Amino acid sequence: MSEASPITVLLVDDQPLLRMGFRLILEGEEDLRIVGEASDGAEAVERVRDLSPDVVLMDVRMPVLDGIEATRAITAAGSPARIIILTTFDVDEYAFAGLQAGASAFLLKDVAPSELIHAVRVVASGDAVVAPRVTQRLLETYVRGAATPAPAAPAPDPLLADLTPRETEMLEAMAEGLSNAEIAHRHFLSEATVKTHVRRILTKLHLRDRVQAVVYAYETGLVVPSNPDY
């Protein structure tokens, strides 16, 4: 993004000190601009509607309306805002529920300033997943947990039939947590070609971004959790 078009960010947390800390970190970057704050999920939904931020940093445990329900309401309203869930633990049921609700990524609250800045930029681009292997571990844990009482495989989504064999390979590789560069290396493709495949996959499956494609791959049974040690 250019200086003329900064990435706009909304901070959502019920703790003023945390909001202040995130603001101080992000406002030091020329390409990032804080457009507002909210102290609960209901206020966050209103602020997103009024301010149209590019990225929302969303706490999960808040009064009035929690971050999961706020995320669900924002995405259901058709907002293009990318939501980053803020959580305390890397394998957290709240983070998983946030991804299911439409969040694009999650971060630990004690994230290093440089990682926070990078995450906001990455999510705003819509082009990658923050900490893909951590996201994969989260999905492995909770998809397996959800599947335990009901071992029957989910019915295949008819939309999967619209994917070409190559696109299906790309989706499976994304669900492994591979970056575009790693997918390109594995399949002897250029990164530009991989990006084209990813865009087509998102369009065909009506998904918001790459992390939603990973969630989709697990929830439809295209990818089955396989590592019991996670």
Side-chain angles (χ1 to χ4, degrees):
M1 293 231 178
S2 65
E3 290 184 42
S5 180
I7 298 168
T8 55
V9 182
L10 176 70
L11 305 176
V12 184
D13 198 295
D14 62 341
Q15 298 182 49
L17 283 177
L18 271 177
R19 296 200 307 272
M20 182 184 298
F22 288 136
R23 177 182 282 275
L24 288 173
I25 292 168
L26 297 175
E27 281 189 332
E29 302 300 309
E30 291 185 358
D31 63 330
L32 305 180
R33 180 163 64 91
I34 308 300
V35 292
E37 299 184 12
S39 59
D40 62 62
E43 187 181 4
V45 174
E46 293 179 4
R47 291 299 179 103
V48 168
R49 185 184 61 236
D50 295 340
L51 300 172
S52 301
D54 297 315
V55 176
V56 181
L57 288 180
M58 179 79 75
D59 187 23
V60 287
R61 297 168 179 83
M62 295 183 293
V64 185
L65 189 70
D66 67 32
I68 307 307
E69 290 306 315
T71 296
R72 187 170 288 115
I74 290 167
T75 56
S79 169
R82 306 294 185 185
I83 299 171
I84 300 176
I85 292 291
L86 298 171
T87 183
T88 306
F89 308 105
D90 60 354
V91 177
D92 185 338
E93 62 181 305
Y94 287 96
F96 176 62
L99 295 182
Q100 286 186 308
S104 296
F106 72 95
L107 288 176
L108 298 181
K109 281 194 170 185
D110 62 355
V111 62
S114 60
E115 292 180 17
L116 175 65
I117 293 165
H118 175 68
V120 170
R121 288 172 177 154
V122 165
V123 169
S125 76
D127 209 26
V129 178
V130 177
R133 287 186 175 79
V134 177
T135 302
Q136 181 201 15
R137 183 153 62 97
L138 181 82
L139 289 165
E140 289 263 349
T141 299
Y142 289 102
V143 171
R144 176 180 294 104
T148 300
D157 188 331
L159 291 177
L160 280 174
D162 292 337
L163 299 184
T164 66
R166 175 62 90 182
E167 288 166 349
T168 301
E169 283 182 339
M170 298 293 104
L171 179 55
E172 290 170 343
M174 289 161 60
E176 286 182 49
L178 299 184
S179 67
N180 283 349
E182 290 168 331
I183 295 173
H185 178 74
R186 173 184 288 184
H187 293 283
F188 305 101
L189 300 170
S190 70
E191 283 193 58
T193 298
V194 173
K195 287 182 179 181
T196 298
H197 282 307
V198 171
R199 283 196 297 270
R200 287 175 179 167
I201 290 166
L202 298 181
T203 299
K204 287 183 177 182
L205 299 180
H206 310 300
L207 298 171
R208 282 166 58 86
D209 54 33
R210 189 184 178 107
V211 77
Q212 292 305 307
V214 177
V215 174
Y216 174 92
Y218 277 90
E219 290 190 326
T220 59
L222 178 66
V223 175
V224 179
S226 58
N227 189 341
D229 295 328
Y230 272 151

